[in-house]
Amino acid sequence: MLVEALSAQLSLLLLLAAIACERWLPLSPWYHPFTLARLGFNNLVKRTFNPQDSVGYHLLIAILSLALCVLLPLTLIALFSHLVYYPEALSALLLYLSLDSHTIRSKSTRIALALKQQRKSLARALLATIVVRDCERLNSQGVAKACIESVVLRMLHTYFAPLLLYCLFGGMAALAYSLTWTLHTAMRKHALPSSPYLYASKWLLTLCCVAALVMYLLPLAMMTQQRKLWRYLRIYGRHFYHRVSGFTLSVFSALLQVQLGGPAFYQGHRFERMRIGVDHLPDDKTIKATLKYIDGVNMLWLAVIALSHIAWA
C-alpha cells in the first residue's frame, strides 16, 4: 500500500528532492556543468560580438548564438533520454542542474555581513561576482541597493522561472530557460543594456517568465499597501527600461519601503535608469529582509505545487 502511494507521487517526490538538494546539497562550481557552459558562452561572445558592428549583424549573431548554445545541448539530451530507463529521474536531475538559488543567497548574505562590519571593499568585491555593472564607485548604500536588485531579479530567472517551466513542461524546458539565461548573462558582460545584441535573448526570456513573474510577485503584492503598490506600478513599472525588471523592482520597493533603481555604470558608461520609490536607501538589514520575503514566497508556492500534484494524482 505504501509502495503504491509513493509510486503515484513519484514525480512530486523527485521534484521536492531536486529542490532540497539544490538548497542544501548544491554542486560545487568546480564540477558543475553550468560552469563549463559559462566559460564556453563567454568565449563565444568574445569572438563574435563587436560593438562597432551593425544592428542587423548583432541581431543575426544573437539568434545564431541562441540556436547553438540552447538547441544543440537540448538535442543531445533528447537523444540521450531515449536510452534512460527512468526519464522522471533524468527530468529531476535537469531541474537540479537548472536551479541556482544557493549562489545568490550565500553571496548576498556575505555582502550583508560585510556591510554590517563596514568592510565596503569586501562587499564591492562580492557584489562584482553577481552583477555585470561597475561596482568601484558604489558606497555602502549603493552596494546594498545593487545587491537587492540582483537578488530579486536573479531569483526570478534562476529559480522561480525554471521551477514553473519544469512543473508545466518538464526538465527540458527548465534546462532551456537556464541555458538562455546563462547565455544572456554572458552577453551582458560585453554589451551595454541598450545594445541590440541583447534584444533576442531578452525577448525570449521575457516571454517565458511572464507566468513565473506573476507567481513570484502576487504573494508579495498582497502584503503591500495597495494604493502605494498600484502607484508604483503605474509610474515606475510601466516606464522602466525593462518591463519585467520594472514591475519586480516596483513591488519590492513598495514592500520594503526603500528606493531602488537609479543610474548605473556599465563598462565605464553611465546608463540612466529611473529611480523607483521615494523612501530611504537600503542597508544590510534590507538585504536580510529581502531574503526572508523570498523564502516565504518559495514555501508558499512549494505548498501549492505539492497540493496540486496530490489533487491531480
Side-chain angles (χ1 to χ4, degrees), residues 51 132-134 187-192 265-269:
V132 296
R133 61 187 290 178
D134 301 340
M187 291 176 171
R188 290 179 60 201
K189 292 180 179 180
H190 301 274
L192 295 175
F265 283 88
Y266 294 88
Q267 303 174 30
H269 296 83

Side-chain angles (χ1 to χ4, degrees), residues 18-29 32 38 96-110 129-130 151 154-155 158-160 291 294-295 298:
I19 294 173
C21 290
E22 188 275 334
R23 180 68 181 272
W24 291 290
L25 294 174
L27 281 177
S28 171
H32 198 292
R38 293 187 189 96
Y96 172 63
L97 298 176
S98 301
L99 299 178
D100 187 23
S101 66
H102 180 269
T103 302
I104 190 65
R105 289 176 192 272
S106 60
K107 291 289 181 64
S108 58
T109 302
R110 293 175 62 189
T129 62
I130 60 175
V151 168
R154 284 190 58 174
M155 284 298 295
T158 64
Y159 185 81
F160 287 100
L291 293 174
I294 292 175
D295 287 338
N298 182 32

Side-chain angles (χ1 to χ4, degrees), residues 153 163 166:
L153 294 175
L163 178 60
Y166 173 85

